Amino acid sequence: MWDSRYDVDEYVYGEEANSFFKEYLLPKPKCRILLPGEGEGRNALYAAQKGYYVHGFDESEVGAGKAVNLARSHGLSIEYQICSVEDFVTPDDYYDAVGLIYLHLPQEIRKEFHLKIKNCLQPGGRIIAELFSKKQLGMNSGGPKNLDLLYSLDEILEDFKEFNIILAEEKQIEISEGNLHNGKAWVIQFVAEKKGVITGESSS
């Protein structure tokens, strides 16, 4: 499905990074960021422009190709893997940040993957998430049409209950991201940091 969606000339969610992601991504050059389900690479490009070592992944070969080309067109490089969330493997305590931008998974897969996310972040590492909430069902501004793929704030808080919560809100916003995210939408916005202290800068 995703190969078919991305197999067009334009970037279907635009080339501009998600505004919430931009607001809460701390400037930390030479640190590592993971971007799961990164699609065509708009957030990866932004993170690379801020000096991060970027690791994105997605199931779509077409999305991966467009993401790498987008970064290259700006004179930057990113690491991009083609795999599913179930197959993704990463070391513990490795990343300084993770961006979860409209990555929607069935409940059981979500729980397992969020455990991976918790483990792969360094102490002090930040998670930035903007996700469609269950209230989005029936709206035509974007997102899954299956309630099981939409999230509640309570679910996200439970998944990351060991973290220091910086922001956790369910709210209606206006989105304008390419052709497929447009209009008023119900979202969950979440920022939290893994308890502990980063002892130094990451290296590539």
Side-chain angles (χ1 to χ4, degrees):
M1 182 196 81
W2 291 106
D3 275 346
S4 175
R5 175 166 295 184
Y6 294 142
D7 195 15
V8 292
D9 290 337
E10 71 271 14
Y11 283 71
V12 297
Y13 296 106
E15 297 181 31
E16 185 73 18
N18 174 267
S19 58
F20 184 75
F21 177 74
K22 291 167 67 174
E23 182 178 358
Y24 284 94
L25 184 67
L26 297 177
K28 288 186 175 181
K30 298 184 179 179
C31 285
R32 303 185 187 99
I33 185 168
L34 174 66
L35 296 169
E38 175 54 11
E40 299 167 304
R42 60 196 177 106
N43 300 307
L45 170 63
Y46 180 80
Q49 289 172 328
K50 293 301 177 182
Y52 280 82
Y53 298 118
V54 178
H55 183 188
F57 75 87
D58 199 282
E59 292 185 353
S60 170
E61 286 190 44
V62 175
K66 292 175 78 173
V68 171
N69 287 337
L70 181 63
R72 187 178 296 137
S73 72
H74 288 78
L76 296 166
S77 64
I78 59 174
E79 181 182 348
Y80 205 109
Q81 182 178 354
I82 300 168
C83 72
S84 67
V85 295
E86 295 99 323
D87 293 334
F88 180 71
V89 177
T90 185
D92 289 349
D93 301 329
Y94 186 75
Y95 292 103
D96 302 278
V98 174
L100 297 178
I101 306 300
Y102 299 120
L103 175 64
H104 290 269
L105 306 168
Q107 182 174 347
E108 291 307 313
I109 295 176
R110 184 204 84 226
K111 289 180 178 178
E112 290 297 320
F113 184 63
H114 285 178
L115 179 60
K116 289 184 184 180
I117 294 301
K118 290 190 288 187
N119 291 337
C120 79
L121 272 170
Q122 290 195 42
R126 172 170 287 202
I127 179 170
I128 305 165
E130 184 169 87
L131 308 157
F132 287 115
S133 87
K134 292 185 182 297
K135 291 182 180 179
Q136 179 68 3
L137 190 67
M139 300 187 74
N140 61 6
S141 51
K145 308 306 180 187
N146 181 344
L147 190 64
D148 185 51
L149 296 176
L150 298 167
Y151 302 149
S152 72
L153 183 56
D154 286 344
E155 287 172 340
I156 301 302
L157 288 170
E158 176 63 23
D159 285 355
F160 296 100
K161 62 186 176 183
E162 304 93 347
F163 278 44
N164 292 319
I165 309 300
I166 295 169
L167 182 147
E169 291 183 335
E170 180 182 47
K171 62 193 294 188
Q172 191 175 58
I173 64 170
E174 188 80 23
I175 57 174
S176 179
E177 299 182 330
N179 294 327
L180 299 181
H181 281 177
N182 277 287
K184 293 187 182 299
W186 279 99
V187 300
I188 291 166
Q189 295 181 338
F190 181 78
V191 182
E193 292 179 350
K194 188 171 179 177
K195 291 181 180 178
V197 177
I198 296 178
T199 57
E201 279 193 343
S202 298
S203 59
S204 59

